[in-house]
Every structure is written in C-alpha cells, then in structure tokens.
Amino acid sequence: MNYFSYRISLNKLNKQRNKIDKPYKKQYDEAKKEKDEEKKEEIASLAIYELGEIDDEILFLEQRYLRSIATKYLIQLPPVIEEEKGGLWERSQYNGNYRLTNEGIRQLRSEIRKERKERTDLLTRWISILIGLIGAITGLVAVINK
C-alpha cells in the first residue's frame, strides 16, 4: 500500500465516521436539552459501538500501511502472540482479527525510523564522498590548465 492510496482510504473512512457521528451528536444534544438521561445513555452507547467499528477499520488501515513500509524495508513484524501471553497483538472486538497493540505499533514505527535513518546516513555519506571527489577533480583540472 502506498502513501497516496493510504491517505485516500483514510479520508474516506474519516468522512464515513463524521457522517455517522453528526446524527448521534444532534440526537444526544436534543436528549441533553430534554434532560433525558436514559435516552442520552442509549444514544451514547449506540454511537460508541458504530463509531468503534469505523475506528477499528481506521486502525486496520493504519496497520496495513505500516506493515507495507516494514515489508519495503525488510523489517520483520513481531510474532503473532496475544497481549495476554506477553505478545504485541490483540484481537479486535468487532471482527475478531488480530491487530498490533499500541506498544507493538510504537516498536514497529521505531524500527521503521531506525531503518530510514540508517539509509539516509548511508546516502549522505556517499554524497559527501562524491562532492569531495568532484571538488578534487575540479581543483586538479584547474591546476593542469594553468
């Protein structure tokens, strides 16, 4: 998954989330004006469940994007061991699929940053050598031409 398809999909999910959230917010505000606590709780629980499904899809999208970057840089994902057993994975309460915990995401992002930094440092080193050689050749040509 490339960055642009990730951003497009993320924007679609965020629009879908906002589309779901607006009517619930309006209903909740009406129930608040009426001071109907039972209705407020009912609306809130329905909203939490529906928005939770969208939030879960957003998490899966973000993780799929992170996994694609990790694959690009040949970074291994943590083994699929549930959090209760000391792993970095958990099951989604909405669809039962495994996903990385917050700690797992943090570690994967850290590994990606580390790999990017190493690649950038290597490229910078080569560019510095190349610029030095160009300078030396330019100086040598200037001396020879005089």
Side-chain angles (χ1 to χ4, degrees):
M1 167 177 272
N2 65 35
Y3 177 77
F4 295 108
S5 63
Y6 161 69
R7 292 302 303 180
I8 289 168
S9 298
L10 184 60
N11 285 337
K12 285 180 185 177
L13 287 171
N14 280 328
K15 284 179 184 177
Q16 189 177 354
R17 188 182 196 291
N18 290 337
K19 189 177 180 180
I20 290 171
D21 190 36
K22 281 183 182 180
Y24 281 119
K25 184 166 177 25
K26 186 176 180 180
Q27 291 174 6
Y28 186 83
D29 289 342
E30 288 173 5
K32 193 174 182 181
K33 285 180 184 176
E34 296 171 4
K35 297 183 180 180
D36 188 350
E37 294 298 320
E38 188 176 308
K39 189 174 180 183
K40 278 178 26 182
E41 287 179 23
E42 180 183 334
I43 292 168
S45 66
L46 287 172
I48 287 170
Y49 184 79
E50 280 196 57
L51 293 174
E53 286 180 317
I54 299 292
D55 290 341
D56 202 46
E57 287 182 46
I58 290 172
L59 280 172
F60 275 108
L61 177 67
E62 290 172 348
Q63 290 188 20
R64 191 169 54 213
Y65 177 64
L66 280 176
R67 287 194 308 262
S68 71
I69 294 172
T71 301
K72 175 183 170 186
Y73 290 126
L74 303 175
I75 297 171
Q76 288 187 342
L77 295 174
V80 181
I81 300 172
E82 290 189 25
E83 187 177 25
E84 295 83 33
K85 298 176 184 172
L88 297 173
W89 295 84
E90 63 188 1
R91 279 195 182 267
S92 166
Q93 64 183 4
Y94 296 97
N95 61 15
N97 292 335
Y98 281 103
R99 65 179 181 208
L100 285 167
T101 61
N102 289 336
E103 178 63 21
I105 292 171
R106 188 192 63 73
Q107 285 183 12
L108 186 58
R109 283 185 175 160
S110 175
E111 288 292 321
I112 290 170
R113 278 190 218 101
K114 180 180 171 187
E115 183 63 28
R116 282 181 174 165
K117 183 180 182 320
E118 288 173 5
R119 286 180 181 219
T120 302
D121 289 347
L122 181 63
L123 181 64
T124 304
R125 197 172 307 129
W126 278 106
I127 289 173
S128 298
I129 290 170
L130 185 63
I131 289 173
L133 284 173
I134 291 171
I137 291 170
T138 303
L140 186 60
V141 169
V143 168
I144 291 174
N145 284 338
K146 280 196 173 186

